[in-house]
């Protein structure tokens, strides 16, 4: 019997979307993506952006409206369909062969340069997505995959490096808190853990820490820090 935590299973995440238990979703563009956008793009235009575990994030639409091509990966089909419906966008769905997994459904927006692969993040390879990306925006992905379980954290950062161009940039939003929540997302990740996971493949620049105080009006509320990092690939 596997000791894999339920929070790493597809059924867990599909269930959250089915039940509408998606408290991580925001109905506005992430303010720190906007704040650090120039550092992320290096002032370049017409880039290819990767958004792991994209959900129905408004950030994808904002990036596309900035003139960039956006590729997301999201396991839950309901999230993908909600993204298009809530933004009044139309789409096609194609069955696409994958390098290391079964064929998957790929959603392609008709009005914007947005494509979403409906599959497990670890199943995606450079060949599947048409080459490496110029930029990665990681808001809520690393903290969702239970990086402290086994080698998942290192597998994740290795995957990100394999998808990022040698001159690309990678902006991460992560969090840290001191309460014990087991493997429940979002994961609490220290600076040391970031270094351990990323330093082999990336140079690391910590951009900012945003302290969030506990809200006594919310059940199970606790204080936490939101941390922002900019990664640049090492070597080729």
């Amino acid at each position: 019997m596997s000791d894999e935590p339920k929070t790493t299973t597809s059924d867990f995440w599909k269930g959250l979307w089915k039940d509408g238990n998606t408290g991580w979703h925001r109905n506005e563009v992430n303010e720190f993506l906007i704040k650090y956008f120039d550092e992320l793009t290096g002032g370049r235009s017409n880039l290819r952006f990767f958004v792991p575990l994209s959900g129905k994030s408004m950030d994808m639409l904002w990036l596309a409206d900035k003139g960039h091509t956006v590729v997301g990966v999201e396991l839950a089909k309901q999230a993908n369909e909600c993204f298009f419906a809530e933004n009044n966008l139309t789409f096609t769905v194609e069955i696409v062969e994958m390098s290391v997994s079964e064929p998957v459904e790929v959603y392609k927006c008709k009005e914007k340069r947005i494509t979403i692969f409906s599959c497990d993040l670890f199943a995606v390879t450079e060949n599947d997505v048409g080459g490496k990306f110029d930029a990665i925006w990681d808001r809520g992905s690393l903290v969702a995959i239970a990086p402290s379980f086994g080698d998942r954290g290192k597998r994740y950062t290795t995957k990100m490096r394999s998808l990022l161009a040698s001159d690309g940039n990678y902006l991460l939003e992560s969090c840290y808190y001191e309460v014990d929540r087991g493997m429940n997302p979002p994961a609490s990740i220290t600076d040391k853990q970031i270094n351990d996971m990323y330093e082999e493949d990336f140079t690391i620049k910590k951009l900012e820490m945003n302290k969030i105080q506990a809200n006594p009006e919310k059940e199970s509320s606790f204080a936490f820090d939101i941390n922002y990092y900019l990664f640049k690939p090492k070597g080729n």
Side-chain angles (χ1 to χ4, degrees), residues 34-118:
I34 298 172
K35 180 175 181 177
Y36 293 111
F37 185 66
D38 287 342
E39 285 199 65
L40 180 56
T41 62
R44 298 178 294 170
S45 59
N46 196 30
L47 301 185
R48 295 185 73 239
F49 265 84
F50 183 54
V51 182
L53 304 191
S54 48
K56 56 177 184 176
S57 173
M58 297 294 294
D59 300 344
M60 291 191 288
L61 185 60
W62 186 79
L63 290 169
D65 286 342
K66 286 285 188 180
H68 303 290
T69 298
V70 180
V71 176
V73 172
E74 173 54 55
L75 182 69
K77 293 169 60 174
Q78 184 173 348
N80 299 329
E81 292 169 5
C82 284
F83 169 76
F84 291 106
E86 292 175 8
N87 291 296
N88 297 312
L89 298 171
T90 55
F91 63 92
T92 60
V93 180
E94 300 177 11
I95 304 298
V96 174
E97 297 289 334
M98 302 289 279
S99 301
V100 297
S101 75
E102 297 295 321
V104 303
E105 291 185 337
V106 177
Y107 292 71
K108 294 187 177 182
C109 183
K110 292 184 177 181
E111 296 87 357
K112 311 281 185 180
R113 291 187 292 174
I114 301 173
T115 301
I116 304 174
F117 285 72
S118 184

Side-chain angles (χ1 to χ4, degrees), residues 7 28 39 62 77 126 137 144 162-164 180 220 222 235:
T7 55
E28 63 279 334
E39 285 199 65
W62 186 79
K77 293 169 60 174
E126 173 190 350
W137 166 228
S162 74
L163 295 171
L164 186 62
D180 184 2
S220 302
F222 52 90

